[in-house]
Amino acid sequence: MRIENGERRIKKGSPEKSSDFLGRIVGEGITPYLCWKLNNYFRFPSVSTPKYNSENIMLNEALDKLTEILKNTDPKKVLFVKGSGNMGIMQNITKLFFENYGATFAVGSTCDGLGEEGIIKGRGKSLILPTWIIKNAKNIIIWGRNPYVTNIHLIPMIKDKYIVSIDAIETKTAKNSDLFIQVKPNTDFYLAILLAQMVIESEQYDVSDNFDEYKKIVFSYDRKVLMKKCGINNEELMKLFEVIKQGAAVLTGLGIAKCKECWKTTWAIDSLFYMLGYFGKKDRGVAFLGSSGYGINNPFAINHKKQVPLWDVNLDDYDVVFVQAGNPLVSFPNRHEWQKLKNKTTVVFGKYMDETAQIATLFIPTKDFFEKKDVRGSYFHEFVITQKSNRFLSGGKKISEYELTEYLMDKFGFKGLKSEDDYIDEILNADLEKTGDEIYRKRVFDKPPYSEGFFTNNGKFKFLNEDFEYNEKPFEIVTAKHDKALNSQFQRDDNIYINLNSNNIMLCFVRKNFDEKVVKYDKNLPLNIIYTKGGTTINKILKAKGENAFYEI
């Protein structure tokens, strides 16, 4: 199962065991059977010592300090901010305490929330495309996604298929594709509309209730204008059209949903492929980042009494900020706002001594997935990984999310907390098939997603009915993932990359806003693009509003 120099071939149609699929892909690092990111959990040890005002303290002292802080603060003046930096569903259990306590929850997404908004408009829910459908597909279309960096477990399933990559940058995935179509940033909507015109003109397509509204939007654009907007030529367009007519597994990613209006892009892409009959089929389909919790139970789903959209947070309204599994000082846009954490009583409950942890009043180290009991799903595949024993000992200096919640519930006299094993059993009390050691498969994906209808009010797909209102800019921001990092964790690339032949407006902007040490020149990049692999530098200038982050100046 090992890839040598990025190459690995498997016989078409040959089944792979789930244990192989989930783990034994890349030979690099401490063990040749784990991907780069999982190897990094061992390569970069997590912090195991609590700190108060940057001084080392014992875990029991840290818990006493946290209790004192919370008891001496008006609950509505406590803001709870949670990222996803520590794997597992059990990390959500801390919400049970903070909801009882009366804290305010910052609600929103730094990642897929914007794109998911468009998926929900059409389908009702965003579901993954099960691996068996990907294996059955004749063609693979990778649209705004770079699995050779972000999703390497997918590669063995697709390497012998005809692969089309659509992206603004020639990524590693694009270089390994049979057909690469380079589009201008934030123009994927126009490409979806362009292809929709061709499908409708072919007079072979499926319709739903509000098709006429959608058709009106589709033909409100001139074809030549659309081609110019997205930067595609006629030869590329015809090749792509032939592939989508044949059928494919369409795997979209965050690259199609970066601008404020880009939730309409995911909706436009879904509308295109609904016309072509892609949903509910065994050899084709469309997937964004699906819901990792679908097909298992979530005992921690809460409608918070007090909440605020994450990107509308005004830290002046709060005295204490509890940050769990996140690094707002680096990973969040609106950096001018999150810099205020330096002047707040900030509590960080996390794994690493990152930038936010370094300025925290109190740092409490958490156990990682291998040191606690937990369950995790995936936004990509249908498998569930369980951790029913503490495989690695943490030396008594760290505390799991359950243990912290149990401690706080007891200190504040709150009732209703179940045992840890009861929560694990409740999560797994679903229609699951055991396929390996602590690995389950969700049986809900025995059938193709949406084969029995959609999750909308009437069970039918809803076509796009809102036009794209995006103003072209003198230059665009393109953000991507670094192959040796996981968000702000591990080995980061803090540089920004530009083509020196870009327009003067962009070059002046770069010189004004970034230290020359982080600006790198790449003549192979498209003109008028600021390209970055992570948020360390670019989040300095990015602003967002509402619940879901977007990446615009």
Side-chain angles (χ1 to χ4, degrees):
M1 294 293 297
R2 180 173 177 175
I3 296 176
E4 296 289 351
N5 298 322
E7 293 295 329
R8 180 192 181 279
R9 297 278 172 175
I10 58 172
K11 185 178 179 182
K12 283 189 178 181
S14 62
E16 292 189 78
K17 294 180 181 179
S18 59
S19 57
D20 290 338
F21 158 68
L22 288 163
R24 302 175 182 177
I25 304 293
V26 173
E28 185 174 358
I30 291 173
T31 167
Y33 301 109
L34 298 176
C35 69
W36 236 106
K37 289 178 173 58
L38 193 51
N39 264 316
N40 279 341
Y41 278 94
F42 305 98
R43 197 187 288 267
F44 295 86
S46 57
V47 178
S48 59
T49 303
K51 292 180 181 292
Y52 182 71
N53 289 332
S54 301
E55 299 292 330
N56 292 348
I57 58 174
M58 301 297 292
L59 179 59
N60 65 313
E61 295 177 283
L63 297 177
D64 287 342
K65 293 287 186 186
L66 177 59
T67 303
E68 180 183 348
I69 289 169
L70 294 176
K71 286 193 171 183
N72 290 325
T73 307
D74 182 348
K76 68 175 180 291
K77 290 284 192 177
V78 175
L79 182 69
F80 179 92
V81 180
K82 184 185 166 300
S84 301
N86 196 12
M87 299 181 291
I89 295 173
M90 288 296 290
Q91 66 175 309
N92 292 295
I93 197 170
T94 50
K95 294 178 182 179
L96 297 183
F97 165 75
F98 282 97
E99 182 65 25
N100 275 284
Y101 171 73
T104 302
F105 288 78
V107 177
S109 169
T110 60
C111 187
D112 59 326
L114 191 72
E116 185 182 36
E117 187 178 334
I119 301 289
I120 291 170
K121 290 279 189 179
R123 307 186 209 171
K125 281 186 182 178
S126 179
L127 304 185
I128 60 105
L129 198 61
T131 55
W132 63 269
I133 291 181
I134 297 173
K135 290 177 183 179
N136 286 343
K138 178 181 179 180
N139 303 303
I140 304 294
I141 298 174
I142 299 172
W143 197 335
R145 193 169 180 170
N146 188 14
Y148 272 81
V149 169
T150 63
N151 203 183
I152 62 171
H153 302 291
L154 172 67
I155 305 306
M157 283 183 279
I158 67 173
K159 280 190 71 69
D160 287 334
K161 299 180 185 295
Y162 187 84
I163 301 174
V164 178
S165 181
I166 305 170
D167 215 308
I169 298 291
E170 189 178 14
T171 62
K172 188 174 182 180
T173 300
K175 291 174 181 175
N176 283 277
S177 298
D178 298 285
L179 174 62
F180 171 48
I181 295 178
Q182 190 162 25
V183 294
K184 296 177 183 178
N186 297 324
T187 65
D188 306 273
F189 176 92
Y190 302 122
L191 180 56
I193 294 296
L194 181 57
L195 291 166
Q197 287 183 355
M198 299 172 73
V199 171
I200 295 171
E201 288 170 351
S202 74
E203 298 184 349
Q204 294 181 353
Y205 54 87
D206 295 337
V207 300
S208 190
D209 288 350
N210 66 323
F211 178 73
D212 288 341
E213 292 178 274
Y214 169 63
K215 184 177 178 180
K216 185 177 179 180
I217 292 172
V218 168
F219 285 101
S220 68
Y221 291 92
D222 177 80
R223 181 170 297 187
K224 290 182 179 178
V225 172
L226 288 171
M227 292 179 71
K228 185 177 180 180
K229 279 182 176 293
C230 57
I232 189 172
N233 62 46
N234 194 63
E235 182 182 355
E236 292 171 328
L237 179 63
M238 295 311 298
K239 286 181 179 179
L240 178 57
F241 186 57
E242 286 303 312
V243 173
I244 69 172
K245 285 196 300 183
Q246 292 173 15
V250 183
L251 307 174
T252 62
L254 298 179
I256 65 172
K258 293 290 189 177
C259 71
K260 186 178 180 180
E261 283 282 292
C262 281
W263 60 272
K264 297 173 184 174
T265 301
T266 53
W267 197 2
I269 290 172
D270 273 3
S271 298
L272 163 67
F273 288 106
Y274 178 81
M275 285 197 298
L276 289 163
Y278 269 52
F279 291 97
K281 300 295 174 61
K282 295 181 178 180
D283 63 347
R284 64 197 65 193
V286 187
F288 185 58
L289 279 67
S291 168
S292 61
Y294 183 73
I296 51 179
N297 295 313
N298 180 8
F300 314 123
I302 298 172
N303 292 319
H304 301 300
K305 296 185 184 72
K306 301 188 191 78
Q307 64 182 51
V308 60
L310 181 56
W311 310 116
D312 295 341
V313 163
N314 181 353
L315 287 177
D316 293 336
D317 296 336
Y318 306 97
D319 296 330
V320 174
V321 183
F322 184 93
V323 178
Q324 178 183 334
N327 186 10
L329 283 185
V330 168
S331 299
F332 286 9
N334 298 350
R335 183 168 293 170
H336 66 285
E337 187 64 38
W338 296 100
Q339 290 283 347
K340 296 177 184 177
L341 288 173
K342 297 176 181 178
N343 300 315
K344 296 288 174 183
T345 299
T346 300
V347 179
V348 171
F349 182 39
K351 290 176 57 182
Y352 299 104
M353 191 50 61
D354 55 34
E355 284 83 350
T356 309
Q358 289 172 29
I359 60 92
T361 308
L362 177 63
F363 173 77
I364 301 175
T366 182
K367 295 179 179 178
D368 68 27
F369 187 76
F370 302 103
E371 298 170 325
K372 60 179 181 174
K373 297 179 181 180
D374 213 332
V375 179
R376 64 180 298 218
S378 172
Y379 61 76
F380 153 59
H381 58 71
E382 68 271 31
F383 295 93
V384 177
I385 313 300
T386 63
Q387 184 74 22
K388 294 184 178 180
S389 60
N390 302 329
R391 189 166 295 177
F392 300 111
L393 298 178
S394 59
K397 294 183 179 181
K398 302 178 186 178
I399 187 168
S400 71
E401 294 91 350
Y402 179 85
E403 291 164 340
L404 180 63
T405 302
E406 184 180 40
Y407 171 86
L408 290 172
M409 293 284 275
D410 178 66
K411 285 292 183 181
F412 283 78
F414 300 147
K415 306 297 182 184
L417 189 69
K418 302 175 186 177
S419 74
E420 188 172 30
D421 288 336
D422 282 347
Y423 283 118
I424 298 291
D425 290 343
E426 186 176 345
I427 294 167
L428 296 175
N429 185 23
D431 193 8
L432 301 173
E433 174 193 3
K434 190 167 185 178
T435 62
D437 183 23
E438 298 189 332
I439 300 175
Y440 296 82
R441 186 180 61 82
K442 300 173 182 177
R443 283 201 176 101
V444 69
F445 289 110
D446 285 351
K447 295 180 180 179
Y450 312 104
S451 56
E452 297 179 352
F454 293 86
F455 296 86
T456 53
N457 290 336
N458 61 2
K460 297 180 181 180
F461 181 81
K462 184 176 180 180
F463 277 102
L464 172 78
N465 62 10
E466 296 188 47
D467 204 357
F468 196 60
E469 299 175 358
Y470 184 72
N471 296 320
E472 228 173 294
K473 297 177 173 58
F475 59 91
E476 297 284 355
I477 308 292
V478 176
T479 59
K481 301 283 188 181
H482 184 42
D483 59 354
K484 293 179 175 60
L486 184 59
N487 299 325
S488 67
Q489 299 175 26
F490 312 140
Q491 290 181 227
R492 302 192 313 223
D493 182 344
D494 295 340
N495 299 309
I496 64 166
Y497 298 85
I498 63 171
N499 188 320
L500 194 53
N501 294 315
S502 296
N503 64 50
N504 284 331
I505 295 175
M506 189 188 94
L507 296 178
C508 290
F509 180 87
V510 168
R511 293 189 187 105
K512 179 181 178 181
N513 288 281
F514 302 107
D515 190 308
E516 62 181 12
K517 294 178 182 177
V518 301
V519 179
K520 307 297 179 185
Y521 301 111
D522 185 346
K523 64 182 180 181
N524 296 316
L525 277 178
L527 298 176
N528 310 323
I529 285 177
I530 298 176
Y531 177 57
T532 179
K533 303 174 184 178
T536 308
T537 301
I538 203 69
N539 280 341
K540 172 186 174 185
I541 61 166
L542 296 181
K543 298 177 176 64
K545 294 180 180 179
E547 287 193 6
N548 298 315
F550 47 88
Y551 295 84
E552 293 183 43
I553 299 171

